[in-house]
């Protein structure tokens, strides 16, 4: 809940279940993953839908390497979809391993990118 309330609606991150998926360290890591993707996203100036939202799924290995990434829900705005895909393509690592003591080998995050939500909402 802290991650959700502290980062705004466009930063809603949902995590998969499994061992080691609770507590402050896990929430902080989710916020870190979101910030890496948000920083990499360049909002297109030629978007035709002002509040377009693209939803992605990213799976991170325990060492911080991105092992899977895909758009799960397109916005209907070609420019926005392409800008999100470009951000996904650029990121190969989130540059941090899981918090000490985490037992899971990978985690999957669902991250929405929303044109209407401004940077710096976190």
């Amino acid at each position: 809940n802290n991650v959700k309330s502290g980062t705004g609606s466009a930063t809603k991150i949902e995590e998969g279940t499994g061992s080691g998926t609770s507590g402050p360290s896990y929430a902080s890591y989710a916020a870190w993953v979101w910030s890496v993707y948000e920083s990499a996203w360049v909002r297109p100036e030629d978007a035709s839908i002002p509040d377009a939202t693209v939803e992605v799924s990213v799976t991170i290995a325990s060492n911080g390497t991105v092992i899977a990434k895909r758009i799960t829900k397109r916005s209907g705005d070609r420019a926005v979809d392409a800008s999100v895909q470009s951000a996904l393509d650029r990121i190969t690592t989130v540059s941090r391993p899981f918090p000490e003591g985490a037992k899971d080998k990978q985690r999957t995050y669902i991250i929405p990118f929303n044109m209407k939500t401004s940077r710096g909402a976190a």
Side-chain angles (χ1 to χ4, degrees):
N1 284 339
N2 290 340
V3 171
K4 183 177 178 184
S5 66
T7 56
S9 62
T11 60
K12 177 181 163 194
I13 299 178
E14 300 169 2
E15 297 138 44
T17 58
S19 60
T21 59
S22 63
S25 294
Y26 196 79
S28 295
Y29 193 80
W32 172 257
V33 170
W34 174 80
S35 71
V36 168
Y37 281 90
E38 173 66 12
S39 294
W41 183 37
V42 178
R43 287 171 172 78
E45 292 184 21
D46 60 342
S48 61
I49 303 173
D51 63 344
T53 299
V54 177
E55 188 173 277
V56 304
S57 172
V58 296
T59 302
I60 312 295
S62 61
N63 67 358
T65 301
V66 177
I67 57 177
K69 54 196 171 186
R70 67 184 179 93
I71 293 176
T72 56
K73 182 180 175 189
R74 296 191 176 277
S75 69
D77 186 314
R78 189 178 307 232
V80 177
D81 294 348
S83 70
V84 170
Q85 184 63 57
S86 180
L88 289 179
D89 293 344
R90 283 193 305 276
I91 299 170
T92 59
T93 179
V94 295
S95 303
R96 284 190 186 173
F98 289 173
E100 190 173 324
K103 296 180 179 162
D104 34 350
K105 295 185 188 299
Q106 65 185 39
R107 296 176 181 170
T108 298
Y109 300 89
I110 305 300
I111 307 171
F113 291 81
N114 183 279
M115 285 293 294
K116 198 169 188 176
T117 302
S118 63
R119 277 190 196 268

